[in-house]
Amino acid sequence: MTSKLARTRTPSRARAGRPRDSSKHQAILQATRELVNDVGYRGLTLKAIASKASVTRNVLYNWWDGDINRIVEEALLPNVNEWAVPDNGSFAADIDEFLDLTIEAIYKPDVLKGFLTLAAEIVDDQGQLRETSRYFRAPYARLVAKIVKQAEARDEICANLDPKHLAQMISGSVLQFAISKNPGRRNTKAVLSTMIQKIAAK
């Protein structure tokens, strides 16, 4: 079967004209999450999304160029490019804010379930994994790199801390904690914040 995410795609961009209707937009994303859970990623169709969200397929073409991959990505994966770089005057405060953003994005039950379904279906597909990496992992690592660079400029942390490895550790740990429900959402931030500060300590 041809990989959906492996297909060549045009860059995501907003089309000129009327702005998106917020209620329809959210209905489409919710319908996509529910359908991924019901029929799986490979069973998803534009017709099914439109029907479940009570919109016409024209809406999906107008807003996402009819590209089902972009709809799935927006529904299931955090758009890190929309996150502001935390800049609170200290590495500890910046990491705490970043952890809040990550936990809020991953711990939503329908998002988590859909993300796990997506991951299970593409785990052996290198083309799809690369596409997912470009959408989520690379921007996530770039944001961590900016936090690390700010901390280095303040001489707060050890030199040569690898932002890419730190980003993988944070996102992987939050996902693992969410799946296992241990140490629980309330304690996840405290556990990871302490761990990261120990790793980064001079």
Side-chain angles (χ1 to χ4, degrees):
M1 180 180 289
T2 303
S3 301
K4 289 180 182 176
L5 289 176
R7 296 172 188 161
T8 302
R9 300 179 305 167
T10 56
S12 179
R13 63 189 183 278
R15 286 192 166 195
R18 296 169 62 184
R20 294 182 182 182
D21 179 293
S22 178
S23 60
K24 286 184 180 179
H25 183 216
Q26 291 306 314
I28 291 165
L29 298 184
Q30 182 61 30
T32 302
R33 287 190 284 266
E34 291 176 6
L35 284 167
V36 168
N37 292 333
D38 291 342
V39 303
Y41 171 64
R42 298 185 191 280
L44 201 61
T45 65
L46 291 174
K47 181 179 180 180
I49 294 172
S51 176
K52 194 169 186 66
S54 299
V55 300
T56 66
R57 273 183 283 183
N58 284 342
V59 173
L60 306 184
Y61 282 95
N62 289 338
W63 292 352
W64 289 280
D65 295 327
D67 188 336
I68 201 166
N69 302 308
R70 286 170 51 192
I71 303 172
V72 170
E73 288 170 345
E74 189 170 341
L76 299 182
L77 301 176
N79 186 356
V80 182
N81 289 314
E82 294 182 348
W83 293 4
V85 180
D87 188 5
N88 301 293
S90 75
F91 180 68
D94 290 347
I95 283 296
D96 280 354
E97 182 179 337
F98 186 69
L99 287 171
D100 283 334
L101 291 168
T102 304
I103 291 167
E104 177 63 26
I106 290 179
Y107 266 76
K108 294 175 181 176
D110 52 355
V111 172
L112 178 61
K113 187 176 178 181
F115 179 74
L116 292 175
T117 300
L118 174 62
E121 292 193 32
I122 71 173
V123 67
D124 294 323
D125 190 318
Q126 292 302 310
Q128 289 187 342
L129 286 172
R130 281 193 297 272
E131 288 296 328
T132 301
S133 178
R134 279 199 287 269
Y135 181 86
F136 172 67
R137 295 181 187 174
Y140 192 85
R142 284 195 295 270
L143 188 52
V144 172
K146 291 176 182 178
I147 295 172
V148 168
K149 186 175 181 180
Q150 289 173 170
E152 288 176 340
R154 294 189 294 257
D155 196 28
E156 290 181 287
I157 61 175
C158 63
N160 303 317
L161 182 64
D162 189 328
K164 183 176 180 180
H165 290 164
L166 184 59
Q168 290 173 344
M169 188 204 78
I170 295 171
S171 60
S173 296
V174 172
L175 181 58
Q176 182 61 42
F177 289 163
I179 295 168
S180 66
K181 299 182 180 179
N182 183 23
R185 178 168 181 166
R186 181 175 296 179
N187 295 325
T188 291
K189 177 181 172 182
V191 169
L192 287 177
S193 181
T194 300
M195 183 188 306
I196 293 164
Q197 290 180 58
K198 286 181 179 179
I199 292 171
K202 295 183 67 175

